[in-house]
Amino acid sequence: MKFIHAADIHLDSPLHGLSAYPDAPAAQLRNASRDALRQLVDRAIEEEVAFLVIAGDLYDGDWKDHNTGIFFGQQMGRLRKAGIRAFVLWGNHDAESEMTRKLTLPDNVTVFSHRKPEVHRLPEFNVALHGQSFKDKAVVENLAVGYPEPVPGCYNIGVLHTALEGYTAHASYAPCTLAELHAKGYDYWALGHVHEFQQWSGPSTIVFPGNLQGRHIRETGRRGAVLVTVEGGETRVERLYLDVLRWEAVAVDAADCVTIADLARKIGQSLEALLTVDGHVPRTVRVTVTGRTPAHGLFFGRATQLRAEVLNQIGIIGNERLWLEKVKVATSAMDLSHGETEQLEALEDLKQILADAAHDPEFLALLERDLKPFVGKVRSEVKEEVPLLSLARSGELTALVQQVGPALLARLAQGE
Protein backbone atom coordinates (compact mmCIF):
# COMPACT_ATOMS: atom_id res chain seq x y z
CA MET A 1 0.00 0.00 0.00
CA LYS A 2 1.30 3.44 -0.95
CA PHE A 3 0.14 6.95 -0.15
CA ILE A 4 1.51 10.47 -0.60
CA HIS A 5 1.81 12.90 2.29
CA ALA A 6 2.02 16.61 1.41
CA ALA A 7 1.54 19.81 3.39
CA ASP A 8 1.89 23.58 3.20
CA ILE A 9 1.02 23.93 -0.47
CA HIS A 10 -0.07 27.56 0.01
CA LEU A 11 -1.91 27.47 -3.30
CA ASP A 12 -1.69 30.76 -5.25
CA SER A 13 0.68 32.26 -2.70
CA PRO A 14 3.00 34.74 -4.46
CA LEU A 15 6.72 34.13 -4.64
CA HIS A 16 8.66 37.00 -3.11
CA GLY A 17 11.97 38.62 -3.93
CA LEU A 18 12.09 38.81 -7.72
CA SER A 19 9.23 41.00 -8.87
CA ALA A 20 11.36 44.17 -8.79
CA TYR A 21 13.80 42.82 -11.39
CA PRO A 22 13.10 43.20 -15.12
CA ASP A 23 14.56 39.77 -15.90
CA ALA A 24 12.29 37.98 -13.41
CA PRO A 25 10.36 34.94 -14.75
CA ALA A 26 6.92 36.48 -14.23
CA ALA A 27 4.84 33.56 -15.51
CA GLN A 28 6.72 30.99 -13.46
CA LEU A 29 6.53 33.13 -10.35
CA ARG A 30 2.80 33.55 -10.78
CA ASN A 31 2.02 29.88 -11.46
CA ALA A 32 4.64 28.07 -9.36
CA SER A 33 2.33 26.80 -6.60
CA ARG A 34 -0.22 25.59 -9.17
CA ASP A 35 2.42 23.86 -11.26
CA ALA A 36 3.81 22.16 -8.15
CA LEU A 37 0.33 20.92 -7.18
CA ARG A 38 -0.18 19.66 -10.71
CA GLN A 39 3.08 17.71 -10.43
CA LEU A 40 1.95 16.30 -7.08
CA VAL A 41 -1.22 14.97 -8.68
CA ASP A 42 0.76 13.65 -11.66
CA ARG A 43 2.98 11.68 -9.31
CA ALA A 44 0.06 10.32 -7.28
CA ILE A 45 -1.53 8.99 -10.46
CA GLU A 46 1.77 7.64 -11.78
CA GLU A 47 2.49 5.82 -8.50
CA GLU A 48 -1.10 4.53 -8.30
CA VAL A 49 -1.26 5.51 -4.65
CA ALA A 50 -4.17 4.51 -2.44
CA PHE A 51 -4.77 8.07 -1.26
CA LEU A 52 -3.28 11.54 -0.79
CA VAL A 53 -2.97 13.31 2.57
CA ILE A 54 -2.66 17.12 2.78
CA ALA A 55 -1.73 18.07 6.36
CA GLY A 56 -2.78 21.71 6.46
CA ASP A 57 -2.22 25.02 4.70
CA LEU A 58 -3.46 23.86 1.34
CA TYR A 59 -4.40 27.51 0.87
CA ASP A 60 -2.52 30.66 1.84
CA GLY A 61 -5.53 32.35 3.38
CA ASP A 62 -8.84 33.51 2.01
CA TRP A 63 -9.07 33.35 -1.78
CA LYS A 64 -8.93 36.55 -3.80
CA ASP A 65 -11.51 34.93 -6.05
CA HIS A 66 -12.96 31.50 -6.74
CA ASN A 67 -10.29 30.56 -9.29
CA THR A 68 -8.04 29.16 -6.55
CA GLY A 69 -10.75 26.75 -5.45
CA ILE A 70 -11.68 25.89 -9.02
CA PHE A 71 -8.09 24.93 -9.80
CA PHE A 72 -7.88 22.71 -6.71
CA GLY A 73 -11.18 21.08 -7.68
CA GLN A 74 -9.81 20.36 -11.16
CA GLN A 75 -6.76 18.63 -9.73
CA MET A 76 -8.83 16.58 -7.29
CA GLY A 77 -11.05 15.67 -10.23
CA ARG A 78 -8.02 14.13 -11.91
CA LEU A 79 -7.44 12.02 -8.80
CA ARG A 80 -11.12 11.05 -8.80
CA LYS A 81 -10.86 9.70 -12.34
CA ALA A 82 -7.86 7.64 -11.22
CA GLY A 83 -9.78 6.24 -8.24
CA ILE A 84 -7.62 8.06 -5.67
CA ARG A 85 -9.06 9.64 -2.53
CA ALA A 86 -7.69 12.74 -0.82
CA PHE A 87 -7.82 13.63 2.88
CA VAL A 88 -7.42 17.32 3.67
CA LEU A 89 -6.86 18.98 7.03
CA TRP A 90 -7.12 22.75 7.47
CA GLY A 91 -4.16 24.51 9.14
CA ASN A 92 -3.56 28.02 10.41
CA HIS A 93 -3.56 29.63 6.95
CA ASP A 94 -6.77 27.98 5.78
CA ALA A 95 -8.57 27.57 9.11
CA GLU A 96 -12.36 27.33 8.97
CA SER A 97 -12.84 30.90 10.25
CA GLU A 98 -10.35 32.35 7.74
CA MET A 99 -12.09 31.16 4.58
CA THR A 100 -15.06 33.23 3.42
CA ARG A 101 -15.24 31.74 -0.08
CA LYS A 102 -15.89 28.03 -0.55
CA LEU A 103 -16.77 25.59 -3.31
CA THR A 104 -18.20 22.09 -3.20
CA LEU A 105 -15.35 19.59 -3.27
CA PRO A 106 -15.37 16.41 -5.38
CA ASP A 107 -16.71 13.34 -3.59
CA ASN A 108 -13.25 11.77 -3.43
CA VAL A 109 -12.06 14.55 -1.08
CA THR A 110 -12.63 14.24 2.66
CA VAL A 111 -11.97 17.20 4.97
CA PHE A 112 -11.29 16.58 8.65
CA SER A 113 -13.74 18.36 10.94
CA HIS A 114 -12.59 21.27 13.09
CA ARG A 115 -15.12 20.47 15.82
CA LYS A 116 -13.40 17.38 17.21
CA PRO A 117 -10.89 14.72 16.15
CA GLU A 118 -12.39 12.15 13.82
CA VAL A 119 -11.45 8.84 12.25
CA HIS A 120 -11.86 7.88 8.61
CA ARG A 121 -11.45 4.19 7.84
CA LEU A 122 -10.44 2.67 4.53
CA PRO A 123 -11.29 -1.04 4.94
CA GLU A 124 -9.98 -1.91 1.49
CA PHE A 125 -6.49 -0.84 2.61
CA ASN A 126 -6.89 -1.65 6.31
CA VAL A 127 -6.11 1.99 7.14
CA ALA A 128 -7.52 4.41 9.72
CA LEU A 129 -6.80 8.14 9.42
CA HIS A 130 -7.18 10.37 12.49
CA GLY A 131 -7.24 14.16 12.35
CA GLN A 132 -8.73 17.50 13.34
CA SER A 133 -8.68 20.71 11.32
CA PHE A 134 -8.07 24.18 12.73
CA LYS A 135 -11.22 26.16 13.46
CA ASP A 136 -9.28 29.39 14.00
CA LYS A 137 -5.91 30.61 12.81
CA ALA A 138 -4.31 30.68 16.26
CA VAL A 139 -4.90 27.24 17.76
CA VAL A 140 -2.69 27.21 20.84
CA GLU A 141 -3.96 24.08 22.57
CA ASN A 142 -2.43 20.65 22.08
CA LEU A 143 -4.79 18.92 19.63
CA ALA A 144 -2.84 15.66 19.60
CA VAL A 145 -3.82 14.73 23.16
CA GLY A 146 -7.46 14.54 22.07
CA TYR A 147 -6.87 12.21 19.13
CA PRO A 148 -8.56 8.81 19.55
CA GLU A 149 -6.84 5.56 20.34
CA PRO A 150 -5.49 3.60 17.35
CA VAL A 151 -7.94 1.27 15.63
CA PRO A 152 -6.84 -2.31 16.36
CA GLY A 153 -5.65 -4.25 13.35
CA CYS A 154 -5.37 -1.14 11.14
CA TYR A 155 -2.46 0.92 9.90
CA ASN A 156 -3.13 4.11 11.88
CA ILE A 157 -2.20 7.52 10.47
CA GLY A 158 -2.40 10.70 12.52
CA VAL A 159 -2.82 13.88 10.46
CA LEU A 160 -1.84 17.02 12.37
CA HIS A 161 -0.85 20.62 11.69
CA THR A 162 1.57 21.47 14.49
CA ALA A 163 4.58 23.53 15.45
CA LEU A 164 6.02 20.56 17.37
CA GLU A 165 8.66 21.16 20.00
CA GLY A 166 11.76 23.17 19.18
CA TYR A 167 10.58 24.94 16.01
CA THR A 168 10.80 28.54 17.21
CA ALA A 169 10.93 29.83 13.62
CA HIS A 170 7.30 28.79 13.21
CA ALA A 171 4.29 30.08 15.11
CA SER A 172 3.54 27.78 18.04
CA TYR A 173 0.21 26.43 16.84
CA ALA A 174 -1.20 23.14 18.19
CA PRO A 175 2.06 22.48 20.06
CA CYS A 176 3.02 18.97 21.09
CA THR A 177 6.09 16.82 21.66
CA LEU A 178 7.61 13.87 19.85
CA ALA A 179 7.12 11.78 22.98
CA GLU A 180 3.38 12.51 22.94
CA LEU A 181 3.09 11.50 19.30
CA HIS A 182 5.01 8.26 19.80
CA ALA A 183 2.92 7.46 22.87
CA LYS A 184 -0.32 7.69 20.88
CA GLY A 185 0.50 4.36 19.25
CA TYR A 186 -0.11 5.34 15.62
CA ASP A 187 2.01 3.86 12.86
CA TYR A 188 2.57 7.14 11.01
CA TRP A 189 2.14 10.84 11.77
CA ALA A 190 1.51 13.05 8.73
CA LEU A 191 2.48 16.49 10.00
CA GLY A 192 2.30 19.95 8.48
CA HIS A 193 3.24 23.57 9.35
CA VAL A 194 7.06 23.32 9.43
CA HIS A 195 8.37 24.03 5.93
CA GLU A 196 11.55 21.95 6.20
CA PHE A 197 11.63 18.17 5.73
CA GLN A 198 12.09 16.24 8.97
CA GLN A 199 11.67 12.57 9.80
CA TRP A 200 11.84 10.68 13.08
CA SER A 201 11.76 6.93 13.63
CA GLY A 202 10.67 5.00 16.69
CA PRO A 203 7.35 3.52 17.74
CA SER A 204 5.81 5.81 15.10
CA THR A 205 7.23 7.19 11.87
CA ILE A 206 6.82 10.97 12.18
CA VAL A 207 7.29 13.20 9.14
CA PHE A 208 7.16 16.83 8.11
CA PRO A 209 7.33 16.68 4.29
CA GLY A 210 8.21 20.38 4.06
CA ASN A 211 6.36 22.75 1.80
CA LEU A 212 5.61 21.80 -1.78
CA GLN A 213 7.16 24.89 -3.40
CA GLY A 214 9.69 27.33 -1.96
CA ARG A 215 8.30 30.87 -1.92
CA HIS A 216 11.32 33.05 -1.11
CA ILE A 217 15.05 32.96 -0.45
CA ARG A 218 14.55 31.69 3.11
CA GLU A 219 13.11 28.48 1.65
CA THR A 220 16.07 27.17 -0.30
CA GLY A 221 16.80 23.77 -1.77
CA ARG A 222 14.61 20.89 -2.86
CA ARG A 223 10.92 20.99 -1.94
CA GLY A 224 8.07 18.55 -2.35
CA ALA A 225 6.19 15.76 -0.60
CA VAL A 226 6.83 12.18 0.54
CA LEU A 227 5.77 8.84 -0.87
CA VAL A 228 5.04 6.37 1.92
CA THR A 229 5.13 2.64 1.21
CA VAL A 230 3.76 0.20 3.79
CA GLU A 231 4.79 -3.37 3.17
CA GLY A 232 5.33 -6.37 5.42
CA GLY A 233 4.78 -4.31 8.55
CA GLU A 234 7.46 -1.80 7.56
CA THR A 235 7.07 1.86 6.63
CA ARG A 236 9.37 3.31 3.99
CA VAL A 237 9.48 7.07 3.31
CA GLU A 238 10.79 8.45 0.01
CA ARG A 239 11.10 12.15 -0.73
CA LEU A 240 9.45 13.45 -3.89
CA TYR A 241 10.94 16.64 -5.30
CA LEU A 242 8.08 18.47 -6.98
CA ASP A 243 9.06 22.14 -6.88
CA VAL A 244 9.05 23.88 -10.25
CA LEU A 245 11.22 26.87 -9.34
CA ARG A 246 13.95 26.39 -6.74
CA TRP A 247 15.56 28.99 -4.51
CA GLU A 248 19.28 28.59 -3.87
CA ALA A 249 21.80 30.45 -1.72
CA VAL A 250 25.31 30.24 -3.19
CA ALA A 251 28.34 31.34 -1.17
CA VAL A 252 31.49 32.08 -3.18
CA ASP A 253 34.81 32.41 -1.37
CA ALA A 254 36.76 35.27 -2.95
CA ALA A 255 39.97 34.64 -1.00
CA ASP A 256 41.96 33.95 -4.18
CA CYS A 257 40.30 36.64 -6.32
CA VAL A 258 42.20 39.84 -7.05
CA THR A 259 39.96 41.28 -9.78
CA ILE A 260 36.25 41.45 -10.52
CA ALA A 261 36.89 39.21 -13.54
CA ASP A 262 38.40 36.56 -11.24
CA LEU A 263 35.33 36.72 -9.04
CA ALA A 264 32.92 36.62 -11.99
CA ARG A 265 34.50 33.44 -13.35
CA LYS A 266 34.42 31.79 -9.94
CA ILE A 267 30.75 32.68 -9.49
CA GLY A 268 30.04 31.26 -12.94
CA GLN A 269 31.68 27.96 -11.97
CA SER A 270 29.59 27.78 -8.79
CA LEU A 271 26.37 28.45 -10.68
CA GLU A 272 27.20 25.86 -13.31
CA ALA A 273 27.89 23.27 -10.59
CA LEU A 274 24.47 24.04 -9.12
CA LEU A 275 22.78 22.78 -12.26
CA THR A 276 24.43 19.36 -12.11
CA VAL A 277 21.67 18.28 -9.67
CA ASP A 278 18.08 18.42 -10.97
CA GLY A 279 19.29 20.49 -13.89
CA HIS A 280 15.79 20.64 -15.37
CA VAL A 281 14.51 22.70 -12.43
CA PRO A 282 14.94 26.47 -12.90
CA ARG A 283 16.79 28.21 -10.07
CA THR A 284 16.48 31.58 -8.43
CA VAL A 285 19.84 32.36 -6.85
CA ARG A 286 21.23 34.65 -4.19
CA VAL A 287 25.00 34.94 -4.48
CA THR A 288 26.95 35.92 -1.38
CA VAL A 289 30.63 36.75 -1.84
CA THR A 290 32.62 35.83 1.27
CA GLY A 291 36.18 35.44 2.49
CA ARG A 292 39.18 37.52 3.45
CA THR A 293 40.45 38.84 0.16
CA PRO A 294 42.95 41.38 -1.17
CA ALA A 295 40.15 42.63 -3.44
CA HIS A 296 37.83 43.60 -0.57
CA GLY A 297 38.25 47.28 -1.35
CA LEU A 298 37.70 46.63 -5.05
CA PHE A 299 34.39 44.81 -4.47
CA PHE A 300 33.13 47.32 -1.94
CA GLY A 301 30.37 49.58 -3.28
CA ARG A 302 30.33 47.85 -6.69
CA ALA A 303 26.89 46.25 -6.38
CA THR A 304 25.75 47.32 -9.85
CA GLN A 305 28.93 46.08 -11.52
CA LEU A 306 28.87 42.76 -9.67
CA ARG A 307 25.21 42.17 -10.47
CA ALA A 308 25.91 42.81 -14.14
CA GLU A 309 28.85 40.38 -14.04
CA VAL A 310 26.72 37.66 -12.45
CA LEU A 311 23.93 38.22 -14.98
CA ASN A 312 26.55 37.92 -17.71
CA GLN A 313 27.71 34.57 -16.29
CA ILE A 314 24.10 33.40 -16.13
CA GLY A 315 23.67 34.36 -19.77
CA ILE A 316 26.75 32.34 -20.68
CA ILE A 317 25.50 29.28 -18.77
CA GLY A 318 21.92 29.51 -20.02
CA ASN A 319 19.53 32.06 -18.55
CA GLU A 320 16.45 29.93 -19.20
CA ARG A 321 17.37 27.93 -16.07
CA LEU A 322 18.84 30.58 -13.77
CA TRP A 323 17.61 33.88 -12.38
CA LEU A 324 19.40 36.18 -10.01
CA GLU A 325 17.69 37.38 -6.85
CA LYS A 326 20.54 39.35 -5.31
CA VAL A 327 24.31 39.67 -4.98
CA LYS A 328 25.62 40.35 -1.49
CA VAL A 329 29.22 41.23 -0.67
CA ALA A 330 30.31 39.95 2.75
CA THR A 331 34.07 39.92 2.27
CA SER A 332 36.64 41.25 4.70
CA ALA A 333 39.99 42.93 4.21
CA MET A 334 43.37 41.24 4.48
CA ASP A 335 45.66 42.07 7.38
CA LEU A 336 47.87 45.08 6.79
CA SER A 337 51.03 42.98 6.88
CA HIS A 338 52.60 43.56 3.49
CA GLY A 339 54.18 46.65 1.99
CA GLU A 340 56.69 49.34 2.80
CA THR A 341 57.20 50.06 6.50
CA GLU A 342 56.29 53.72 6.07
CA GLN A 343 53.08 52.81 4.21
CA LEU A 344 52.11 50.22 6.82
CA GLU A 345 52.59 52.69 9.63
CA ALA A 346 50.40 55.24 7.84
CA LEU A 347 47.68 52.65 7.23
CA GLU A 348 47.78 51.52 10.85
CA ASP A 349 47.42 55.15 11.94
CA LEU A 350 44.46 55.61 9.61
CA LYS A 351 42.94 52.37 10.87
CA GLN A 352 43.04 53.72 14.42
CA ILE A 353 41.61 57.08 13.33
CA LEU A 354 38.69 55.34 11.62
CA ALA A 355 38.08 53.14 14.67
CA ASP A 356 37.97 56.21 16.90
CA ALA A 357 35.79 58.13 14.44
CA ALA A 358 33.10 55.46 14.57
CA HIS A 359 32.44 56.43 18.20
CA ASP A 360 33.20 60.17 18.05
CA PRO A 361 29.91 62.09 18.53
CA GLU A 362 31.28 65.30 17.02
CA PHE A 363 32.56 63.54 13.90
CA LEU A 364 29.33 61.57 13.49
CA ALA A 365 27.27 64.76 13.79
CA LEU A 366 29.32 66.43 11.06
CA LEU A 367 29.05 63.33 8.89
CA GLU A 368 25.28 63.27 9.27
CA ARG A 369 25.07 66.96 8.37
CA ASP A 370 27.10 66.44 5.20
CA LEU A 371 25.40 63.22 4.11
CA LYS A 372 21.79 64.21 4.70
CA PRO A 373 21.37 66.47 1.62
CA PHE A 374 23.19 63.97 -0.58
CA VAL A 375 21.15 60.93 0.51
CA GLY A 376 17.92 62.84 -0.04
CA LYS A 377 18.79 63.43 -3.70
CA VAL A 378 19.74 59.85 -4.54
CA ARG A 379 17.31 58.03 -6.84
CA SER A 380 15.39 55.13 -5.28
CA GLU A 381 16.91 52.52 -7.59
CA VAL A 382 20.41 53.60 -6.52
CA LYS A 383 19.43 53.30 -2.86
CA GLU A 384 18.38 49.71 -3.53
CA GLU A 385 21.71 48.88 -5.16
CA VAL A 386 23.88 50.52 -2.48
CA PRO A 387 22.91 49.08 0.93
CA LEU A 388 25.18 51.52 2.76
CA LEU A 389 22.83 54.33 1.81
CA SER A 390 20.17 52.76 4.01
CA LEU A 391 22.54 53.13 6.98
CA ALA A 392 23.06 56.78 6.15
CA ARG A 393 19.34 57.32 5.67
CA SER A 394 18.46 55.70 9.00
CA GLY A 395 21.22 57.53 10.89
CA GLU A 396 23.24 54.39 11.69
CA LEU A 397 26.49 56.25 11.14
CA THR A 398 28.64 54.19 13.50
CA ALA A 399 27.80 51.08 11.47
CA LEU A 400 28.42 53.04 8.27
CA VAL A 401 31.94 54.07 9.32
CA GLN A 402 32.69 50.55 10.56
CA GLN A 403 31.81 49.12 7.15
CA VAL A 404 33.45 51.79 5.01
CA GLY A 405 36.71 51.87 6.98
CA PRO A 406 38.05 48.39 6.09
CA ALA A 407 37.20 48.91 2.42
CA LEU A 408 39.04 52.23 2.36
CA LEU A 409 42.09 50.67 3.98
CA ALA A 410 42.01 47.77 1.52
CA ARG A 411 41.98 50.12 -1.45
CA LEU A 412 44.81 52.20 -0.06
CA ALA A 413 46.81 49.05 0.64
CA GLN A 414 46.44 48.16 -3.05
CA GLY A 415 47.75 51.57 -3.99
CA GLU A 416 44.42 52.94 -5.24
Side-chain angles (χ1 to χ4, degrees), residues 205-268:
T205 299
I206 302 172
V207 177
F208 280 114
N211 56 342
L212 195 65
Q213 168 63 54
R215 298 180 298 160
H216 45 69
I217 194 60
R218 294 187 302 280
E219 296 180 345
T220 57
R222 291 165 149 183
R223 302 277 154 171
V226 293
L227 175 67
V228 184
T229 303
V230 181
E231 192 173 24
E234 293 188 359
T235 299
R236 186 170 70 253
V237 177
E238 175 190 347
R239 293 190 69 184
L240 303 176
Y241 303 114
L242 303 169
D243 49 343
V244 297
L245 180 65
R246 190 167 297 164
W247 299 81
E248 302 278 10
V250 177
V252 178
D253 187 352
D256 57 352
C257 298
V258 294
T259 67
I260 287 181
D262 292 339
L263 178 60
R265 282 189 285 270
K266 193 164 188 179
I267 290 173

Side-chain angles (χ1 to χ4, degrees), residues 12-56:
D12 282 347
S13 171
L15 273 62
H16 299 286
L18 276 177
S19 58
Y21 301 120
D23 55 333
Q28 286 181 276
L29 289 173
R30 185 171 57 251
N31 298 321
S33 64
R34 291 193 177 199
D35 291 341
L37 177 60
R38 190 179 288 111
Q39 290 205 150
L40 173 67
V41 171
D42 288 345
R43 194 62 184 270
I45 295 170
E46 176 187 322
E47 294 286 348
E48 299 180 336
V49 299
F51 52 90
L52 166 67
V53 175
I54 300 177

Side-chain angles (χ1 to χ4, degrees), residues 279-341:
H280 63 286
V281 180
R283 306 299 216 282
T284 298
V285 183
R286 174 178 291 183
V287 175
T288 302
V289 185
T290 65
R292 190 178 294 275
T293 170
H296 173 68
L298 179 64
F299 301 152
F300 187 81
R302 302 283 178 87
T304 301
Q305 171 76 17
L306 287 174
R307 181 175 177 82
E309 289 284 2
V310 176
L311 287 172
N312 182 52
Q313 291 296 317
I314 286 173
I316 293 168
I317 295 166
N319 59 3
E320 74 282 355
R321 294 183 295 163
L322 281 172
W323 288 279
L324 179 63
E325 185 252 2
K326 185 181 290 186
V327 180
K328 293 183 69 176
V329 177
T331 56
S332 55
M334 303 287 286
D335 293 333
L336 301 176
S337 56
H338 301 287
E340 299 294 332
T341 302

Side-chain angles (χ1 to χ4, degrees), residues 24-238:
Q28 286 181 276
L29 289 173
R30 185 171 57 251
N31 298 321
S33 64
R34 291 193 177 199
D35 291 341
L37 177 60
R38 190 179 288 111
Q39 290 205 150
L40 173 67
V41 171
D42 288 345
R43 194 62 184 270
I45 295 170
E46 176 187 322
E47 294 286 348
E48 299 180 336
V49 299
F51 52 90
L52 166 67
V53 175
I54 300 177
D57 288 358
L58 162 62
Y59 302 121
D60 195 49
D62 205 7
W63 307 336
K64 292 181 180 178
D65 54 47
H66 286 94
N67 288 323
T68 301
I70 291 170
F71 179 79
F72 179 68
Q74 290 170 344
Q75 297 309 306
M76 294 304 98
R78 294 176 58 210
L79 290 182
R80 183 175 183 269
K81 289 176 184 176
I84 298 171
R85 294 186 63 179
F87 293 87
V88 178
L89 180 142
W90 302 137
N92 55 295
H93 278 274
D94 47 16
E96 185 72 21
S97 64
E98 296 292 303
M99 307 300 292
T100 61
R101 294 183 175 91
K102 294 180 182 179
L103 291 172
T104 303
L105 291 167
D107 57 11
N108 64 318
V109 179
T110 299
V111 177
F112 287 98
S113 171
H114 64 83
R115 293 182 177 86
K116 63 179 182 178
E118 58 184 13
V119 184
H120 295 287
R121 295 188 63 171
L122 298 175
E124 65 271 36
F125 301 113
N126 206 29
V127 166
L129 294 105
H130 311 256
Q132 181 178 0
S133 288
F134 279 29
K135 181 182 186 301
D136 301 304
K137 181 173 183 176
V139 174
V140 295
E141 64 267 25
N142 185 341
L143 296 181
V145 296
Y147 276 37
E149 293 299 309
V151 177
C154 283
Y155 187 87
N156 287 271
I157 300 171
V159 186
L160 179 66
H161 201 73
T162 176
L164 202 56
E165 59 183 347
Y167 283 94
T168 55
H170 293 265
S172 187
Y173 297 140
C176 61
T177 67
L178 284 171
E180 288 170 330
L181 297 185
H182 282 303
K184 185 60 71 173
Y186 294 169
D187 298 283
Y188 184 91
W189 278 97
L191 304 184
H193 186 53
V194 173
H195 286 193
E196 301 298 327
F197 171 80
Q198 289 286 340
Q199 179 179 342
W200 296 269
S201 300
S204 305
T205 299
I206 302 172
V207 177
F208 280 114
N211 56 342
L212 195 65
Q213 168 63 54
R215 298 180 298 160
H216 45 69
I217 194 60
R218 294 187 302 280
E219 296 180 345
T220 57
R222 291 165 149 183
R223 302 277 154 171
V226 293
L227 175 67
V228 184
T229 303
V230 181
E231 192 173 24
E234 293 188 359
T235 299
R236 186 170 70 253
V237 177
E238 175 190 347

Side-chain angles (χ1 to χ4, degrees), residues 369-385:
R369 184 199 67 187
D370 292 342
L371 283 177
K372 200 168 185 179
F374 167 74
V375 173
K377 295 177 182 177
V378 175
R379 299 193 310 274
S380 58
E381 59 267 27
V382 176
K383 291 178 183 177
E384 289 293 324
E385 292 181 354

